[in-house]
Amino acid sequence: MSSTRERILTAARELIEQDSGAAPNVSAIARAVGISRQALYLHFPDRASLLLALVAHVDEHEDLQAGLAAVAAAPDAGAQIRAWAGMQSERNPRIAPLARALDRVRHEDEPVAQAWRDRTDGRMRGAVGIVERLRKEGRLHPSWTSEEAAALLWELTSFRVWDDLVNELGLAADRYVEVVTAAALAALASPVGSPADTEPARGSITA
């Protein structure tokens, strides 16, 4: 990565962290770096490409690959969920200003929405992989579809759930990991459906 490109991405992240999570415009970033807007566009042709590169830049600096490797190396699906929640617990405090900035304005700003989707799509792929392993291990109740199970796991391990539990409700980081892991495993091992679907028939014998 060129030194100017690195400076642009560093400045973009610093501006977000200094401005209570507001997503900076291209002019503000160029001023912070000490270059013209035209010079910035030589590295990033538009704001969307800059924000996508910023997400990748933060992932690289916060060693996302090491966290993903720990999830992949876990011995079973339950341990994978715990490792994934642990990764969120460790990384989220460091990326919180950027994540809040993207979340805050993504509904009104398409470049920001694109950067947000890029990150959340990656998490969904991870959720699908864990769900497939849960099913192979016989730990996913057959009443769950793979899509529903992945969606639940994706949501439980989201930044917003972490932010609410840890920062809003004061849950300790290690307790957050255990609560999310237990909730995911208990929910996915249980039947899902209407009461009529899950209640035993009258007079039937259950174990």
Side-chain angles (χ1 to χ4, degrees):
M1 181 183 292
S2 72
S3 59
T4 302
R5 185 180 172 90
E6 177 81 21
R7 286 165 54 211
I8 291 169
L9 295 174
T10 299
R13 183 177 185 180
E14 289 175 351
L15 284 172
I16 289 173
E17 293 178 349
Q18 292 167 7
D19 197 20
S20 301
N25 59 44
V26 171
S27 296
I29 297 170
R31 285 195 301 271
V33 179
I35 59 176
S36 67
R37 284 182 52 158
Q38 290 72 24
L40 187 148
Y41 284 130
L42 293 175
H43 297 274
F44 302 100
D46 52 42
R47 188 160 171 262
S49 63
L50 192 157
L51 288 170
L52 285 170
L54 177 58
V55 171
H57 172 77
V58 171
D59 285 344
E60 180 180 354
H61 278 254
E62 299 302 338
D63 207 3
L64 174 64
Q65 292 306 313
L68 294 177
V71 174
D76 55 49
Q80 283 189 310
I81 295 172
R82 181 173 282 102
W84 195 3
M87 178 178 67
Q88 298 293 77
S89 180
E90 292 175 5
R91 293 183 72 251
N92 284 346
R94 302 194 296 268
I95 67 169
L98 175 62
R100 292 191 186 109
L102 296 179
D103 193 18
R104 184 174 299 122
V105 299
R106 64 190 172 93
H107 297 293
E108 295 81 32
D109 189 321
E110 180 52 33
V112 173
Q114 187 177 348
W116 181 268
R117 287 193 298 269
D118 182 72
R119 169 53 42 235
T120 57
D121 286 351
R123 285 201 311 106
M124 180 56 80
R125 288 190 293 272
V128 168
I130 293 175
V131 165
E132 290 175 353
R133 190 166 181 180
L134 280 170
R135 195 178 295 281
K136 289 178 181 177
E137 294 173 1
R139 302 174 72 180
L140 180 66
H141 194 276
S143 60
W144 285 89
T145 68
S146 295
E147 292 78 10
E148 292 167 341
L152 178 69
L153 185 55
W154 178 85
E155 179 61 24
L156 285 174
T157 55
S158 69
F159 173 84
R160 282 178 291 176
V161 168
W162 169 84
D163 204 18
D164 284 345
L165 291 177
V166 174
N167 294 319
E168 293 296 325
L169 299 180
L171 205 64
D174 57 346
R175 190 62 177 167
Y176 155 82
V177 173
E178 296 307 320
V179 165
V180 167
T181 302
L185 290 174
L188 295 175
S190 301
V192 62
S194 66
D197 294 333
T198 57
E199 289 179 357
R202 184 172 298 176
S204 65
I205 298 175
T206 57

